Amino acid sequence: MRGQRPGSDGEHLVQQRLGTTERADRFYGDQVLDHLNVRMQEFVARQEMFFLATADRHGECDSTFRAGPPGFVQVLDERTLAYPEYRGNGVMASIGNISENPRLGILMIDFARDRIGLHINGRARVVLDEEMRAGRPDLPVDPIPGRRAQLWVTVEVEEAYIHCAKHIPHLQKVPARERGARAWGTDDFKRKGGDFFGAAAEAPGRPPFQRTEHKNEHLRGGLHEDTYERHEAPYGGHEDAYGRHEDGRERAVTPMRRSFAEQLNEEFLDRVEQVLAQAQPRRPAEDDPEFRGWFA
């Protein structure tokens, strides 16, 4: 049943198919916490950026980037952190998603000092700045107008775990005298990046954007939920192949039902296995004497 192990039903099925369940369980047991331990709190408190993943109520995803001075992410306690929302392009994609679906994922990577990462998954809540400060009167006031938040996002930590160093490039900061000042909160078109990808220049010649509808394709392996076989539940009503009852209850998945669930994912998993079988061990790029940098 969900909750006995970290992670999703999907990752557990892939682990089972590819024979990595034992390795995954070691990782879960050794590394996955339901809080931020002291070293994680220290790591978060000195970071200047993170990557944020959210999804709306339909499962449509968005990933974005957040940055600020060291300490812009506030560790409130071992199970709670908060970050400010600075003035952006007005789209409010992340806040909009959180208003429909409070689940989010944060990935912090230290490219320069420790060359390590930290995943934080949890539930979010949007808080007005004045409400935040009423409960946290010691919260610092940023001297830069473009970094004065109107909104904060508080995160209730549910999972926290390491992102290993082996694939993280080691980067160096450009000295302050050689880089331009960041234009916090600006509306200047050029300082925001201009039309770097040429999308605005192409706009007059393309039809209006229309969002493709994929009703419920985010559910249960990318298949429409109506294609899933439903079984009579022992306590009445019906449940699907994963033991999910129509009223939202879950129970343990029997081998027969798990087998059915695997069949639904068979095409995808077969492709994964083919790719893994063709993969050849190779020397890490950064260990190659000819290697000249990840972004050279």
Side-chain angles (χ1 to χ4, degrees):
M1 183 181 291
R2 185 72 188 276
Q4 292 179 339
R5 299 172 72 212
S8 67
D9 293 337
E11 70 186 68
H12 300 160
L13 288 172
V14 175
Q15 292 162 11
Q16 184 183 50
R17 186 63 177 269
L18 299 183
T20 67
T21 300
E22 185 177 347
R23 287 172 53 205
D25 280 339
R26 284 199 301 270
F27 181 83
Y28 293 153
D30 291 346
Q31 296 292 347
V32 181
L33 306 182
D34 63 357
H35 64 282
L36 301 172
N37 67 15
V38 172
R39 295 191 66 175
M40 289 176 175
Q41 293 177 44
E42 293 171 348
F43 181 85
V44 170
R46 65 173 181 265
Q47 297 312 304
E48 299 179 55
M49 62 180 179
F50 67 85
F51 303 94
L52 174 66
T54 59
D56 66 15
R57 67 184 184 278
H58 302 295
E60 298 283 352
C61 300
D62 181 76
S63 62
T64 189
F65 176 76
R66 292 289 184 269
F72 83 110
V73 180
Q74 298 284 316
V75 179
L76 305 183
D77 57 54
E78 67 173 8
R79 296 183 184 274
T80 318
L81 57 80
Y83 65 86
E85 280 288 333
Y86 300 143
R87 190 169 186 273
N89 57 14
V91 174
M92 310 300 288
S94 300
I95 296 294
N97 283 347
I98 291 169
S99 72
E100 298 185 12
N101 176 359
R103 302 283 179 179
L104 56 66
I106 287 173
L107 173 60
M108 294 182 167
I109 298 183
D110 186 338
F111 294 97
R113 171 177 157 176
D114 299 309
R115 204 166 66 93
I116 204 74
L118 176 64
H119 291 266
I120 301 172
N121 299 325
R123 296 175 63 89
R125 187 170 71 94
V126 181
V127 182
L128 292 172
D129 183 64
E130 53 266 34
E131 179 185 348
M132 188 73 177
R133 293 182 185 280
R136 299 276 174 173
D138 57 338
L139 204 63
V141 177
D142 199 296
I144 307 298
R147 293 199 310 243
R148 291 176 188 167
Q150 292 181 313
L151 300 174
W152 290 78
V153 176
T154 64
V155 180
E156 176 188 346
V157 177
E158 294 181 337
E159 291 182 340
Y161 55 92
I162 192 172
H163 186 98
C164 70
K166 62 183 177 182
H167 297 148
I168 297 177
H170 198 172
L171 308 181
Q172 291 183 333
K173 278 190 173 183
V174 176
R177 65 180 180 278
E178 297 178 21
R179 63 176 185 261
R182 285 185 281 183
W184 298 100
T186 186
D187 280 327
D188 184 276
F189 180 72
K190 290 185 177 179
R191 297 193 76 187
K192 289 168 62 177
D195 189 23
F196 184 87
F197 293 105
E202 297 170 350
R206 66 171 180 260
F209 175 82
Q210 291 187 337
R211 185 171 181 172
T212 304
E213 292 295 329
H214 300 291
K215 184 179 178 182
N216 292 332
E217 284 191 2
H218 67 291
L219 297 173
R220 301 179 174 91
L223 298 177
H224 190 286
E225 64 180 338
D226 292 341
T227 67
Y228 271 71
E229 179 183 346
R230 303 191 73 80
H231 309 270
E232 288 190 8
Y235 41 77
H238 291 81
E239 61 183 24
D240 65 16
Y242 288 96
R244 296 191 184 96
H245 194 270
E246 57 194 3
D247 66 5
R249 285 180 288 178
E250 296 182 6
R251 68 186 183 89
V253 181
T254 66
M256 178 184 70
R257 288 185 169 84
R258 186 171 293 281
S259 176
F260 172 71
E262 287 180 356
Q263 290 173 23
L264 294 177
N265 293 280
E266 186 169 359
E267 181 179 352
F268 165 73
L269 293 172
D270 283 346
R271 290 179 183 174
V272 172
E273 289 177 334
Q274 290 170 15
V275 171
L276 293 174
Q278 293 171 4
Q280 297 296 323
R282 52 182 306 208
R283 195 175 186 181
E286 61 265 45
D287 293 338
D288 193 318
E290 299 300 317
F291 181 65
R292 292 293 180 268
W294 287 94
F295 306 113

